[in-house]
Amino acid sequence: MAAAVAGVSLDPTTTGGRTALFWPRFPKSAATIQYASAIQGTARGDFAIAWRFEPSHNSAFVTIRIRFLIPPSAAGVLRLPIPVSTKTQTSLRHALFIPNVTLLKASASNECNKRREARLGFPYSWEYNMTEKQWYKLESKKKIGTPCNSFLFHPSLNRTKWSGESDITNAVSKRLDQSLVSGFYEIVLNNWKLEKEIEGSGRIGNIPEYFNSKNLGPYCKDGSTFEWHIDDATHII
């Protein structure tokens, strides 16, 4: 589930785990999920991705920052969702040097463990009221989780030396995949428009209005057949 939300999987056409597909999916609203991260392990190394909304989670337009890592001797394919608004601008840049991943993971894990020991979790969960057809925050006396940043957003990376930014807005709007080589990358989507979440009859994780939608996406034009494009393997979720 984490990999599906954050957006990383082995590319359907890869062999030997050489190529990963980065396909982040963002919620319509930033009210319940503000960030996501995942790691796809392979024999060639770990592919990793993390994204977050920033800085405001309540405005109609937000900035989304994505970072992802492609290990040495590997490759990646970037497939971003098409923005709802024409105001959205997308830029891509890469680090001039790949950071010390082992040290980053250790530092991030150490900080997360300290947060857990200090019980810096959150005393609530999000539930869906089927009568009023809206989400609500259910308060709890027990802190049920400890939010921790992905190692890709560790503060030590603030000193990263980046290349110049490339504007990939046009490629994203045309749904063109970007082929990338090994490296550490950052994407910034400015003026990403938020939308109202679908109102459904189920609770979290079971909203039939999502999977019964007539809009099956660009990879399944005819829902009456089982003739899928090979890239559907990463869109079925």
Side-chain angles (χ1 to χ4, degrees):
M1 183 61 73
V5 176
V8 62
S9 67
L10 292 178
D11 189 271
T13 62
T14 191
T15 56
R18 182 179 185 277
T19 306
L21 177 62
F22 294 97
W23 50 290
R25 290 295 177 266
F26 314 119
K28 292 179 178 294
S29 166
T32 56
I33 298 178
Q34 291 86 41
Y35 58 88
S37 64
I39 296 175
Q40 172 68 60
T42 71
R44 295 176 180 270
D46 289 343
F47 294 86
I49 187 172
W51 60 260
R52 67 187 182 191
F53 288 118
E54 56 183 40
S56 173
H57 305 321
N58 296 317
S59 62
F61 290 89
V62 297
T63 295
I64 303 177
R65 189 175 303 273
I66 310 168
R67 288 180 177 176
F68 58 96
L69 180 70
I70 302 174
S73 73
V77 175
L78 174 65
R79 179 178 297 162
L80 294 177
I82 297 178
V84 176
S85 172
T86 56
K87 295 181 179 180
T88 303
Q89 298 292 316
T90 308
S91 64
L92 170 69
R93 63 180 181 173
H94 66 272
L96 299 182
F97 303 97
I98 297 179
N100 187 324
V101 177
T102 302
L103 180 60
L104 277 175
K105 288 182 178 179
S107 299
S109 177
N110 184 51
E111 293 181 9
C112 190
N113 287 334
K114 289 181 179 179
R115 291 178 59 82
R116 286 173 178 157
E117 291 172 359
R119 299 183 181 277
L120 298 177
F122 41 91
Y124 63 87
S125 62
W126 286 96
E127 298 292 333
Y128 189 79
N129 188 315
M130 291 185 289
T131 302
E132 299 182 3
K133 294 184 178 181
Q134 64 181 357
W135 299 101
Y136 70 96
K137 185 181 290 187
L138 179 64
E139 302 291 341
S140 172
K141 294 181 179 179
K142 183 179 179 180
K143 294 185 178 181
I144 60 176
T146 302
C148 295
N149 283 326
S150 163
F151 71 92
L152 296 180
F153 282 116
H154 190 267
S156 63
L157 290 174
N158 293 338
R159 300 188 296 270
T160 300
K161 294 183 178 180
W162 299 96
S163 67
E165 295 183 350
S166 299
D167 188 341
I168 60 172
T169 303
N170 186 53
V172 173
S173 64
K174 293 181 179 179
R175 198 184 287 274
L176 298 177
D177 290 352
Q178 308 281 315
S179 296
L180 302 169
V181 298
S182 172
F184 176 44
Y185 295 84
E186 181 177 82
I187 295 173
V188 177
L189 295 97
N190 287 309
N191 294 319
W192 181 271
K193 186 178 180 180
L194 298 177
E195 301 177 273
K196 185 178 181 180
E197 287 285 7
I198 292 177
E199 294 185 354
S201 56
R203 67 188 303 276
I204 291 179
N206 184 26
I207 303 179
E209 283 73 11
Y210 274 109
F211 49 79
N212 287 336
S213 172
K214 293 182 179 180
N215 180 12
L216 301 179
Y219 296 95
C220 185
K221 298 298 185 182
D222 185 359
S224 64
T225 73
F226 288 95
E227 296 178 1
W228 293 86
H229 187 287
I230 189 170
D231 288 337
D232 283 331
T234 54
H235 286 268
I236 290 176
I237 294 177

